[in-house]
Amino acid sequence: MPGFLILNGPNLNLLGLRQPEVYGHTTLADVEAMCREHAERIGVTVEFAQSNSEGTLVDHIHSCRERLDGLILNAGAYTHTSVALMDAISSAEVPAIELHLSNVHAREEFRHVSYIAKVAVGVICGFGPRGYTLAMDAMQAHLERAR
Ligand code: CA2
């Protein structure tokens, strides 16, 4: 069974608890429950993690190497700044999907820049928490195409 890591970056632990006008009322624990339920439905396993620290996110990405089949990454604000996360994805040699709750292209200009997109197989943004299950489906389809 394919295994995915769903990894969340800085401040996403506050999801549903602050700024609901931007990010909605769903908490990260709700998102994790949705992903676990969806994983059973589509026949994949998921690991789910969040960190506010760039180095810890790098370690999580490295942990995918030769162990998991796909990385779904909402890197939060590090998306727009982190060469370290980009290099970690390249060195882990695992297909990655960049994910955002909000449509970053309809927001401030600095959010239009992504280091992750340069090494990702694709990007999903603007669909709120539903984006997580869309990304799982997209990763499964990507792996099936690559087989
Ligand atoms: O839309 C997304 O998923 C983002 O990755 C969220 C990041 C933002 O920096 C990216 O540009 C787009 C911010 C995550 C902050 O999450 C919060 C959630 C609730 C309250 C405060 C922050």
Side-chain angles (χ1 to χ4, degrees):
M1 206 184 273
F4 301 164
L5 172 63
I6 302 175
L7 183 60
N8 297 279
N11 299 308
L12 286 158
N13 54 313
L14 298 177
L15 197 63
L17 310 175
R18 305 265 196 289
Q19 288 182 258
E21 66 289 355
V22 185
Y23 296 110
H25 290 279
T26 306
T27 66
L28 198 62
D30 295 333
V31 172
E32 178 173 357
M34 276 173 47
C35 291
R36 293 198 181 283
E37 207 174 284
H38 195 64
E40 283 202 14
R41 205 175 301 133
I42 67 172
V44 302
T45 63
V46 285
E47 295 178 12
F48 196 94
Q50 187 274 333
S51 176
N52 292 323
S53 139
E54 193 174 17
T56 304
L57 292 167
V58 168
D59 290 340
H60 277 296
I61 293 168
H62 288 171
S63 82
C64 294
R65 192 181 162 82
E66 292 178 354
R67 195 176 66 84
L68 293 175
D69 303 288
L71 168 68
I72 294 168
L73 176 62
N74 184 347
Y78 287 142
T79 304
H80 318 301
T81 62
S82 181
V83 176
L85 293 186
M86 179 183 76
D87 286 349
I89 293 167
S90 299
S91 61
E93 294 180 326
V94 65
I97 291 178
E98 175 184 336
L99 173 66
H100 299 286
L101 294 153
S102 63
N103 178 359
V104 286
H105 299 287
R107 299 182 66 192
E108 303 94 324
E109 205 137 299
F110 66 84
R111 295 187 205 275
H112 303 176
V113 174
S114 170
Y115 286 90
I116 308 302
K118 296 177 193 302
V119 291
V121 295
V123 180
I124 294 175
C125 72
F127 296 100
R130 176 60 56 85
Y132 283 77
T133 55
L134 292 174
M136 291 168 70
D137 291 339
M139 183 61 78
Q140 194 178 41
H142 171 78
L143 295 174
E144 274 164 18
R145 265 200 314 274
R147 248 187 326 141

